[in-house]
Amino acid sequence: MTTIKDIARVAGVSITTVSRALNGYSDVSEKTRRRIQEVAKELKYSPNAVARSLVMNRSKTIGLLVSEISREGAKDNFTFEVLCGINDRVAELDYDLILFNTNSAQQKVKSYTQLCRERRVEGVILQGIKTDDPYLEEVIESDIPCVVVDVPITGNKVGYVSTDNVDGAKKAVQYLIDLGHQQIAMMNGHKKAFVSQKRKEGYLATLEENEIPIKEDWILNGEFREEQAEKVALYFLRNHSNVTAIFCASDLMALGVLKAAKTLNIPVPSQLSVIGYDDIVLAEYATPSLTTVAQDKYQIGYEAAGLLIDLLAEKETNNARILKSNLKIRQSTDFNNKKA
């Protein structure tokens, strides 16, 4: 294995000069730096990342900390697309990325700072964090830079990236109203998700703006799970034959509603319109294909990584980055054809 001693010998310079040239110090002439870089390339030199991090007290590594990652989440592909965006941006900025997992119970045993120190990460992107997770409070006080996906907290070393969830929900519900629907239910996720609160806020605001009475018992809890949404929708649809549309806070839950409608022989969209949220891959291939509020999940990750590295560099930047969503109209929605 080639070492900096080998490079120094071939280049005819000191080991210190090689080290300083490869680490970007300004006191090495450009001519010498180019010569050292050429020799390093010829000798196929590969720097020892661990040794370098110990010398420079920098790991050039950030972490993606996902709360309660599991096989259940594989179906919606959300985390994977965010990860792709993070990975590409990190690579562009010459950082490394590691992925690790946590849950509420683990957070009570090991602090956020302790976990980061053990993994030797300079900063962290948090995804899937619930509103009552212990780490949510810790990141604000920690000296380790952090970016949170979908939870609006900011500080000197804390930022967040999210889609405008209120606006996305309003687009979906207003579209249903424009199709003539007045009896619109909502299949929401659990209360510990910030996006649930915001999507509900958009749903309620749009009903109010259109002077449609709000029925609290028409706001359902599908827990962001297909099976739970199907179960809840079966009960609801059996007991509310007057409903003409359901806005779902995720595509997985919308798929559950489609299954429930099929079981009850309720044709979609002629008798029941269904809208999802996220635009996961399966949305386009559902039967019927799912109208949904599309989030750019890749861009969420890309922006989160860029913001975190800006925080690491102590750049002046906007610590809150809100992305737009757009409504993708497919076959699961139609004009209200139910007789009043």
Side-chain angles (χ1 to χ4, degrees):
M1 179 182 292
T2 301
T3 67
I4 61 173
K5 290 181 180 179
D6 300 318
I7 298 172
R9 176 176 50 79
V10 174
V13 297
S14 69
I15 294 173
T16 300
T17 300
V18 172
S19 176
R20 297 186 73 79
L22 295 178
N23 286 305
Y25 286 92
S26 60
D27 58 352
V28 179
S29 71
E30 192 58 34
K31 181 180 179 181
T32 302
R33 188 189 311 279
R34 283 199 301 269
R35 170 61 178 156
I36 290 170
Q37 290 173 341
E38 288 170 1
V39 171
K41 186 176 180 180
E42 290 171 4
L43 297 179
K44 297 181 180 180
Y45 170 70
S46 179
N48 185 319
V50 174
R52 176 177 285 188
S53 70
L54 291 173
V55 171
M56 301 183 68
N57 199 28
R58 292 191 63 189
S59 66
K60 293 283 284 185
T61 301
I62 67 170
L64 171 60
L65 178 57
V66 182
S67 180
E68 298 185 356
I69 191 171
S70 68
R71 293 186 67 183
E72 291 180 7
K75 196 168 187 179
D76 68 17
N77 224 31
F78 192 100
T79 299
F80 177 73
E81 291 195 48
V82 173
L83 172 60
C84 287
I86 294 171
N87 186 62
D88 284 355
R89 187 58 174 150
V90 163
E92 290 174 3
L93 297 172
D94 196 29
Y95 274 73
D96 291 321
L97 174 69
I98 62 172
L99 171 67
F100 44 106
N101 182 37
T102 185
N103 57 45
S104 297
Q106 291 173 348
Q107 291 176 34
K108 293 175 182 177
V109 175
K110 185 174 291 186
S111 73
Y112 165 76
T113 300
Q114 183 181 0
L115 184 62
C116 294
R117 299 296 188 211
E118 288 179 358
R119 302 302 178 100
R120 289 191 56 79
V121 293
E122 293 187 27
V124 176
I125 297 170
L126 292 175
Q127 184 185 344
I129 293 293
K130 298 183 179 69
T131 55
D132 64 345
D133 277 346
Y135 280 5
L136 203 54
E137 296 181 7
E138 287 187 51
V139 296
I140 299 175
E141 298 179 359
S142 174
D143 61 350
I144 300 172
C146 176
V147 172
V148 188
V149 174
D150 280 335
V151 181
I153 58 172
T154 58
N156 291 333
K157 294 189 176 183
V158 183
Y160 76 96
V161 177
S162 185
T163 301
D164 189 336
N165 289 283
V166 173
D167 180 67
K170 294 183 76 171
K171 287 175 182 173
V173 179
Q174 187 62 55
Y175 177 66
L176 292 172
I177 294 170
D178 292 344
L179 291 175
H181 295 278
Q182 297 282 307
Q183 306 297 324
I184 306 169
M186 179 181 184
M187 182 69 70
N188 204 3
H190 55 74
K191 295 180 180 179
K192 295 179 181 180
F194 179 78
V195 295
S196 291
Q197 300 170 14
K198 289 300 176 182
R199 292 170 194 175
K200 177 182 175 182
E201 182 181 327
Y203 165 79
L204 294 174
T206 309
L207 294 183
E208 288 179 352
E209 289 166 7
N210 289 271
E211 299 181 348
I212 297 174
I214 293 170
K215 304 169 186 176
E216 288 292 339
D217 60 336
W218 280 39
I219 302 174
L220 314 172
N221 181 7
E223 298 179 6
F224 288 113
R225 294 172 50 229
E226 182 180 355
E227 297 81 3
Q228 177 66 12
E230 180 183 3
K231 178 181 176 181
V232 171
L234 279 170
Y235 179 83
F236 179 79
L237 291 170
R238 285 192 181 108
N239 293 279
H240 298 83
S241 59
N242 58 329
V243 66
T244 65
I246 301 180
F247 162 56
C248 303
S250 78
D251 287 343
L252 278 185
M253 293 191 293
L255 295 177
V257 171
L258 291 179
K259 284 184 178 180
K262 184 177 181 180
T263 299
L264 298 173
N265 294 315
I266 300 173
V268 176
S270 60
Q271 288 190 35
L272 179 70
S273 286
V274 179
I275 289 186
Y277 206 111
D278 289 333
D279 193 30
I280 64 175
V281 174
L282 291 178
E284 187 175 358
Y285 299 100
T287 305
S289 58
L290 188 63
T291 297
T292 184
V293 179
Q295 296 194 86
D296 192 335
K297 299 169 282 295
Y298 175 92
Q299 192 64 30
I300 289 173
Y302 191 90
E303 289 289 337
L307 173 55
L308 179 58
I309 293 172
D310 281 350
L311 293 174
L312 288 169
E314 298 183 348
K315 289 183 180 179
E316 288 189 14
T317 184
N318 181 3
N319 287 17
R321 299 187 182 179
I322 311 299
L323 309 182
K324 294 182 179 180
S325 62
N326 65 288
L327 185 64
K328 287 197 174 179
I329 299 170
R330 297 194 179 105
Q331 298 172 344
S332 66
T333 49
D334 200 354
F335 290 97
N336 178 16
N337 297 314
K338 270 192 178 182
K339 294 180 180 179

